[in-house]
Amino acid sequence: AGDLASEVQRKADDFQQLRERAIRSLAQVHRADEIERLAHSMAKEPADSESKLPARQRMLRSMLEMKRSGELEQLAQEMDDTRAKLETKAAQLREIAARMRRGLRDAKRSGDLERIAREMEQV
């Protein structure tokens, strides 16, 4: 359970990092001159020339379209919700692991653990 909790926490951290990178990228795209330039170039160029554009230009264009449609904010919100759920699940798994450790420790102290081990040997 401890490994599972750390894995869930790691995934939550990965989601948070991805969200932060998306926000940083969006902030870079928000520079007014770049957005304006991109919007003008989109209006002037025909759609079939899309494949001739450099990857950065296509990515910026895609992000701008996502921003306009609200999809980027929705994606960021979904990522934040998922991160929160994963953090909650990681906290629950850490609590379960702590209870298991306490239970094993108490069983060892009371002698129940050795008794169970002897019974298992006899079977």
Side-chain angles (χ1 to χ4, degrees):
D3 291 338
L4 187 55
S6 63
E7 183 179 336
V8 169
Q9 184 63 45
R10 200 170 38 252
K11 290 210 181 279
D13 292 342
D14 290 345
F15 272 118
Q16 181 63 24
Q17 289 173 357
L18 180 61
R19 181 178 180 273
E20 289 169 0
R21 284 195 315 257
I23 290 171
R24 279 194 306 271
S25 293
L26 183 60
Q28 289 174 350
V29 170
H30 264 52
R31 292 190 312 245
D33 59 331
E34 191 164 359
I35 289 177
E36 283 299 315
R37 184 177 49 80
L38 184 58
H40 288 320
S41 70
M42 286 175 65
K44 287 191 280 185
E45 294 177 12
D48 62 343
S49 67
E50 179 84 20
S51 62
K52 297 176 187 176
L53 294 174
R56 176 174 162 74
Q57 185 88 12
R58 289 193 310 267
M59 185 270 308
L60 289 172
R61 190 175 278 197
S62 175
M63 287 188 72
L64 181 61
E65 290 171 5
M66 288 174 71
K67 171 67 176 151
R68 285 180 178 162
S69 70
E71 186 178 348
L72 204 53
E73 285 81 10
Q74 180 182 2
L75 180 61
Q77 183 62 46
E78 287 174 8
M79 289 171 64
D80 193 42
D81 293 345
T82 301
R83 180 194 51 79
K85 288 177 186 175
L86 287 172
E87 286 176 352
T88 301
K89 185 58 84 176
Q92 291 171 345
L93 290 172
R94 279 193 296 274
E95 178 59 32
I96 290 170
R99 281 188 275 153
M100 288 174 56
R101 282 191 299 274
R102 282 191 303 269
L104 284 171
R105 185 185 61 227
D106 292 345
K108 182 173 177 25
R109 286 180 182 166
S110 69
D112 287 342
L113 204 54
E114 288 80 12
R115 182 184 51 78
I116 292 171
R118 281 192 305 274
E119 288 176 4
M120 294 292 288
E121 287 176 357
Q122 293 173 357
V123 173

